[in-house]
Amino acid sequence: MKIRIGKLDLDTPVLPASGTFGYGDELVDVMDYRHLGAIITKTLTLDETKGNPPPRVWELENGLLNSIGLQNIGVKRFCKEKLHILSRLNKPLIVSVSGKTTDELTKCIEFLTLRKEISAFELNLSCPNIDEKIISEDPEMTFKTIEKIRKITDKTLIAKLSPNVSDITQTGIAAEKAGADILCAVNTFKGAYFDWEKMKFYKGGVSGKMIFPMALRSVFELYKKVSIPIIGIGGIDSGKKALEMILAGASAVGIGTAAVIFPDLVAKICHEIYQFMEMENKSFISLIGKMNEKEK
Amino acid sequence: MRHIKAEVFSKKILNDTYVEVVFANKFNIQPNPGQFVHILTKATFIRRPFSIAGCTDQWVRILFKIRGPGTKKLSEVKKGMQLDIIGPLGNSFPSVDKKAKIYLVAGGIGIAPILFVAEQFVKEKRYFKLFYGARNHKDLLIQFLPDGEYIKFFTTDDGSFGKKGTVVEVFEKKSEEEKPDIVFAAGPMKMLEKLSISCKQHNIDAYISLENIMFCGLGVCQGCVIETIDGYKRVCKEGPIFNSKKIKWNLKN
């Protein structure tokens, strides 16, 4: 099931999803890392970020609403405290980065790109919890931002796309044109929760089982329009759903919320993909987009 | 910590709304008092955290109150069934000097982690006092208290057992007579807040077990933070046991 996407050589097409995997090393006791294609960090910002005041998570019927606000230790402390541990895991290391401004994001990448332990950057241009305009909701801003970042790093660039747009292929195409190597679809959906005890509304991003059909649709549409690989993320909680993403056009899948609830899920999904390949007598690569068609 | 499938050894429904579940100890390390387990309920989307109320090499005990669909479903487990559990998680009550005077304070189902501490203290022949309050006689799970030579004070809101009033009031009165060196407590947030204020006034170190809505329980999602004087801290990782002086109470965490 090995696959190469961008300049990344993945042992398996199953990845953790940023934000549900800490800095990358915290789950070694409960998860079998051998089944992971790569390690991905939570989103880092240039300076340490305090995050949003609690409460930060709300349970939904088949999902989760969160408003963490990108709490993280910042790129400098990350390099000092975490990088040496992560490099020992012997997996491609994807670092998720964000910034309040393009300038801040650029500085992040300039700082991190010097580190050979890092294989790729996931550009979190769609974090809905920062009260500024969201880059990945606008094709032009997406293009300009990625174009700028492309000039300062040779590492694999993954553009994480926001699903909170009317047509995700617009931002996807913009990201590809600007030089992104991989697309990652999708980030969390904008959602709200009403707390009846406190009589108060909370806003956040929705993840988990309930977003799967929309995430699948996003990957299905994107595959038709772009030629770079896609990482499909959003509500995958079984091998079957992972395969649906792959058949729609994902070259790899990300497991977030469900992998936190079921730490053994990543191994199960790998096993089920493998079983399907055996049963169909197909290589992994031949399954990608098999039930979909490119438009050009 | 480890992700285990553990066989249920026994389940008892106590006083209609409290439940005791004992399951096989398949953890790789022995849990310490104050730590918790994260259990898949099969009725809720995310797991539910439970304080460990006692354990041996063979088994682990949890005690909980039926509150919603998750705890309801867990109250229906039967002997021989498998539970999907991650644990032991979080930090534990600090180790204290052998000669220290320790007061344990529990409110309601907060007795769970306190029982685990009390059992250990009895084994170690330590000097300690237990203050245990609940709404009424039915809500006091006295049958679980370990036998030993320690002093117990009971309170109920309605006076149906022990002294009528709150456990913090009795604790305060006894603390004035004989000041403890350290306090370990668990219970509702309001009780812990009052206790913390009292301990601060009398310059007593108090370590309290906090609860919060928790997603991962593993320290990766940053969802369960509370505000402390050192910034946001994860209840699941830096906690659940906190020095009460560090908590910013006025912000209603």
Side-chain angles (χ1 to χ4, degrees):
Chain A
M1 287 201 289
K2 287 185 197 300
I3 181 155
R4 188 178 171 89
I5 52 171
K7 296 185 203 88
L8 299 178
D9 285 308
L10 311 179
D11 289 337
T12 79
V14 184
L15 315 175
S18 179
T20 61
F21 202 61
Y23 291 100
D25 63 315
E26 292 99 318
L27 297 183
V28 284
D29 289 337
V30 288
M31 199 182 275
D32 189 346
Y33 275 41
R34 286 174 302 177
H35 302 285
L36 291 172
I39 300 296
I40 186 156
T41 68
K42 72 190 322 314
T43 297
L44 302 178
T45 49
L46 192 60
D47 300 314
E48 209 164 318
T49 301
K50 200 175 169 228
N52 292 336
R56 291 179 171 184
V57 287
W58 300 268
E59 185 178 38
L60 310 171
E61 228 160 283
N62 276 306
L64 193 79
L65 183 80
N66 86 81
S67 176
I68 309 294
L70 298 186
Q71 180 177 343
N72 77 96
I73 56 176
V75 291
K76 286 196 182 99
R77 270 186 67 195
F78 171 78
C79 286
K80 213 187 261 175
E81 295 168 26
K82 289 289 180 183
L83 216 43
H84 64 286
I85 305 170
L86 297 174
S87 66
R88 271 187 248 133
L89 296 171
N90 288 319
K91 296 271 174 188
L93 174 63
I94 305 169
V95 173
S96 171
V97 282
S98 189
K100 282 190 211 77
T101 60
T102 314
D103 195 43
E104 196 189 308
L105 186 63
T106 313
K107 279 183 185 151
C108 263
I109 307 266
E110 275 170 349
F111 182 79
L112 293 170
T113 196
L114 305 169
R115 303 303 300 251
K116 59 179 188 312
E117 299 95 326
I118 299 170
S119 316
F121 295 113
E122 180 176 271
L123 305 174
N124 180 358
L125 309 174
S126 50
C127 186
N129 296 330
I130 297 175
D131 282 331
E132 310 263 332
K133 201 176 170 191
I134 295 159
I135 298 170
S136 67
E137 288 180 15
D138 182 74
E140 207 181 311
M141 278 166 68
T142 299
F143 181 84
K144 281 185 184 157
T145 308
I146 297 174
E147 190 188 34
K148 205 171 164 192
I149 291 162
R150 182 72 284 172
K151 284 177 188 149
I152 55 169
T153 185
D154 291 327
K155 294 192 197 288
T156 297
L157 281 183
I158 306 168
K160 189 149 190 176
L161 302 179
S162 165
N164 302 304
V165 290
S166 54
D167 180 5
I168 198 165
T169 66
Q170 298 291 316
T171 40
I173 290 164
E176 181 179 26
K177 274 188 190 155
D181 301 293
I182 299 166
L183 299 179
C184 179
V186 292
N187 207 325
T188 55
F189 286 78
K190 283 180 186 174
Y193 179 87
F194 188 70
D195 185 326
W196 281 92
E197 266 172 48
K198 295 179 184 152
M199 289 303 275
K200 198 175 167 184
F201 269 111
Y202 293 98
K203 292 187 289 182
V206 180
S207 66
K209 196 176 186 138
M210 68 195 311
I211 70 167
F212 179 74
M214 291 85 88
L216 183 64
R217 172 75 180 260
S218 299
V219 170
F220 192 81
E221 304 284 354
L222 281 165
Y223 181 78
K224 292 180 184 302
K225 306 265 185 179
V226 300
S227 51
I228 52 176
I230 304 162
I231 300 170
I233 298 192
I236 299 170
D237 64 354
S238 67
K240 205 173 155 203
K241 283 180 187 162
L243 280 162
E244 289 172 25
M245 276 285 192
I246 293 158
L247 294 171
S251 296
V253 291
I255 321 292
T257 303
V260 168
I261 304 168
F262 309 98
D264 49 355
L265 184 65
V266 168
K268 271 187 199 158
I269 288 176
C270 280
H271 183 68
E272 283 171 43
I273 295 172
Y274 189 72
Q275 267 188 327
F276 185 78
M277 284 161 55
E278 292 255 284
M279 206 172 66
E280 298 283 311
N281 197 19
K282 290 257 161 45
S283 69
F284 179 74
I285 291 165
S286 70
L287 296 178
I288 300 166
K290 193 172 185 301
M291 303 310 288
N292 196 357
E293 272 166 43
K294 293 274 185 196
E295 273 184 10
K296 43 182 178 179
Chain B
M1 75 172 105
R2 184 176 261 179
H3 180 207
I4 58 164
K5 302 269 163 42
E7 187 189 338
V8 174
F9 287 159
S10 70
K11 190 263 321 256
K12 274 188 208 130
I13 309 269
L14 320 149
N15 309 342
D16 303 335
T17 53
Y18 293 92
V19 186
E20 179 208 22
V21 174
V22 178
F23 58 84
N25 183 354
K26 288 192 174 173
F27 297 129
N28 50 344
I29 49 164
Q30 195 63 4
N32 285 315
Q35 289 193 292
F36 69 95
V37 289
H38 216 21
I39 305 184
L40 204 66
T41 73
K42 292 178 181 165
T44 53
F45 185 68
I46 61 180
R47 289 171 184 265
R48 290 289 182 268
F50 298 94
S51 284
I52 297 170
C55 78
T56 66
D57 298 348
Q58 305 296 313
W59 52 260
V60 177
R61 167 193 288 141
I62 56 166
L63 280 175
F64 59 92
K65 192 178 179 175
I66 301 172
R67 278 184 185 156
T71 43
K72 178 88 184 83
K73 186 83 181 175
L74 269 184
S75 76
E76 290 160 6
V77 297
K78 289 191 176 74
K79 191 183 169 188
M81 277 169 72
Q82 300 279 315
L83 282 177
D84 184 311
I85 302 169
I86 302 174
L89 299 169
N91 67 350
S92 47
F93 286 108
S95 54
V96 280
D97 191 80
K98 279 272 176 206
K99 286 174 190 157
K101 272 181 243 158
I102 311 156
Y103 286 8
L104 304 182
V105 187
I109 196 61
I111 192 64
I114 296 300
L115 277 177
F116 193 5
V117 180
E119 261 169 33
Q120 202 167 70
F121 285 177
V122 167
K123 263 186 228 154
E124 294 167 357
K125 296 190 165 51
R126 282 174 185 268
Y127 178 84
F128 74 97
K129 289 180 180 173
L130 172 74
F131 299 82
Y132 181 17
R135 254 179 269 179
N136 53 53
H137 189 187
K138 262 179 83 178
D139 284 0
L140 285 169
L141 306 176
I142 291 164
Q143 67 270 42
F144 286 98
L145 298 181
D147 293 329
E149 289 170 31
Y150 59 99
I151 300 162
K152 309 173 191 90
F153 298 98
F154 298 104
T155 66
T156 49
D157 294 352
D158 63 357
S160 55
F161 192 85
K163 202 169 163 44
K164 184 174 175 170
T166 71
V167 70
V168 177
E169 284 161 15
V170 175
F171 163 82
E172 269 190 312
K173 204 163 152 256
K174 295 293 165 189
S175 297
E176 277 161 24
E177 290 166 16
E178 187 191 7
K179 191 180 161 183
D181 297 313
I182 196 162
V183 172
F184 290 174
M189 232 24 192
K190 270 186 189 156
M191 171 205 130
L192 294 177
E193 183 173 2
K194 277 183 195 153
L195 183 80
S196 299
I197 293 166
S198 169
C199 286
K200 199 176 177 184
Q201 278 168 355
H202 297 95
N203 198 27
I204 303 165
D205 267 330
Y207 287 84
I208 54 173
S209 174
L210 295 187
E211 277 191 311
N212 206 349
I213 293 175
M214 204 174 271
F215 172 45
C216 73
L218 305 164
V220 295
C221 81
Q222 314 270 1
C224 64
V225 298
I226 48 138
E227 188 151 30
T228 74
I229 54 172
D230 304 319
Y232 293 132
K233 297 288 172 195
R234 298 165 292 185
V235 171
C236 76
K237 203 72 184 177
E238 285 86 30
I241 312 301
F242 289 91
N243 183 330
S244 71
K245 282 178 195 156
K246 302 260 183 183
I247 307 299
K248 283 195 175 177
W249 292 101
N250 50 349
L251 290 164
K252 290 189 181 132
N253 289 305

